Amino acid sequence: QQPVQSPQAVILREGEDAVINCSSSKALYSVHWYRQKHGEAPVFLMILLKGGEQKGHEKISASFNEKKQQSSLYLTASQLSYSGTYFCGTKGGSGGYQKVTFGTGTKLQVIP
Amino acid sequence: DTEVTQTPKHLVMGMTNKKSLKCEQHMGHRAMYWYKQKAKKPPELMFVYSYEKLSINESVPSRFSPECPNSSLLNLHLHALQPEDSALYLCASSQVGLAEPTDTQYFGPGTRLTVL
């Protein structure tokens, strides 16, 4: 079953913060976050593991709530380069460990 | 170097044509994937090769035929496609393969396919 992301779309001004959520109805082992710019390939951002700690780099970080089977991606002080569609990908749940099941996606637009 | 290359970048074909998509990686990864992505939708898994053997086929129609000649190359042979097959076809690779939950996939730029 496909993870559900919220919000579906968000518009930010440069410097503003955003949170993107990814929820699954099944138990998860890992969550992978990707960003895809229009017409380009998805780019890997980070991975979170069950039982692991919050990860992050630069101004993008993420957390994984095992009890709620939910992951959140935090973007702080957004830059124009953050624009794109963000996908979470999950392993575990109905897909097992054998494949990444991508979420519904969140389109983020950062404007000057 | 985390580069996965795909050729061609764009492809237009008729429903009676036979064509192939090519994917290459030189990262020593042992798993390679084909995804199909429609506009404004997430990538949908089609096939997975692990150690050059087909390990997952997501009930893809036989008009799509994957091939893994060696650990660095992955092809997708196309024949008698339908207009609804028009999409972005993405290739990805990962270091280990299927049963490792931390295994990370790296994507190529994709082939934009249009079927007339």
Side-chain angles (χ1 to χ4, degrees):
Chain A
Q1 195 170 3
Q2 186 176 43
V4 176
Q5 291 183 229
S6 62
Q8 285 186 323
V10 58
I11 299 176
L12 299 176
R13 292 201 176 274
E14 270 188 293
E16 291 183 335
D17 302 340
V19 180
I20 299 172
N21 297 307
C22 170
S23 295
S24 173
S25 58
K26 302 291 184 180
L28 301 177
Y29 194 92
S30 63
V31 180
H32 308 236
W33 282 98
Y34 289 83
R35 175 173 60 212
Q36 185 175 27
K37 292 184 181 285
H38 182 67
E40 298 181 10
V43 174
F44 172 73
L45 295 175
M46 66 185 73
I47 180 174
L48 297 107
L49 304 177
K50 180 179 177 180
E53 57 195 35
Q54 182 169 339
K55 289 201 174 256
H57 61 88
E58 296 181 353
K59 297 176 182 175
I60 301 176
S61 61
S63 63
F64 182 13
N65 185 321
E66 295 170 33
K67 282 188 178 178
K68 293 184 178 179
Q69 300 307 322
Q70 183 178 66
S71 178
S72 296
L73 186 71
Y74 306 95
L75 302 115
T76 58
S78 58
Q79 305 169 14
L80 294 175
S81 61
Y82 287 4
S83 293
T85 300
Y86 290 77
F87 292 104
C88 65
T90 59
K91 285 196 178 188
S94 58
Y97 300 155
Q98 295 187 1
K99 63 182 183 181
V100 173
T101 302
F102 285 93
T104 49
T106 296
K107 185 174 182 179
L108 177 75
Q109 184 181 1
V110 181
I111 57 176
Chain B
D1 181 13
T2 55
E3 188 178 20
V4 177
T5 59
Q6 289 186 245
T7 54
K9 193 171 181 178
H10 299 276
L11 179 62
V12 178
M13 61 186 289
M15 289 190 286
T16 58
N17 293 157
K18 285 185 180 181
K19 296 286 184 183
S20 297
L21 309 184
K22 181 180 173 181
C23 173
E24 196 164 2
Q25 59 88 13
H26 294 288
M27 296 178 279
H29 287 177
R30 303 313 302 267
M32 296 186 77
Y33 310 76
W34 280 115
Y35 286 87
K36 174 182 177 180
Q37 187 177 27
K38 290 281 206 179
K40 300 182 181 180
K41 296 291 186 183
E44 293 178 38
L45 183 66
M46 299 175 71
F47 302 103
V48 182
Y49 273 82
S50 181
Y51 293 86
E52 300 163 47
K53 291 190 186 326
L54 183 65
S55 52
I56 291 182
N57 177 340
E58 291 286 277
S59 302
V60 178
S62 60
R63 57 185 184 269
F64 295 91
S65 175
E67 179 197 18
C68 189
N70 59 57
S71 59
S72 301
L73 276 175
L74 185 66
N75 298 319
L76 186 64
H77 303 296
L78 314 172
H79 174 55
L81 294 192
Q82 304 297 311
E84 59 265 28
D85 296 321
S86 298
L88 180 68
Y89 287 83
L90 293 163
C91 173
S93 71
S94 65
Q95 188 168 12
V96 176
L98 304 178
E100 175 52 63
T102 61
D103 199 33
T104 298
Q105 294 180 26
Y106 296 92
F107 284 84
T111 294
R112 176 87 45 199
L113 174 68
T114 302
V115 182
L116 301 176

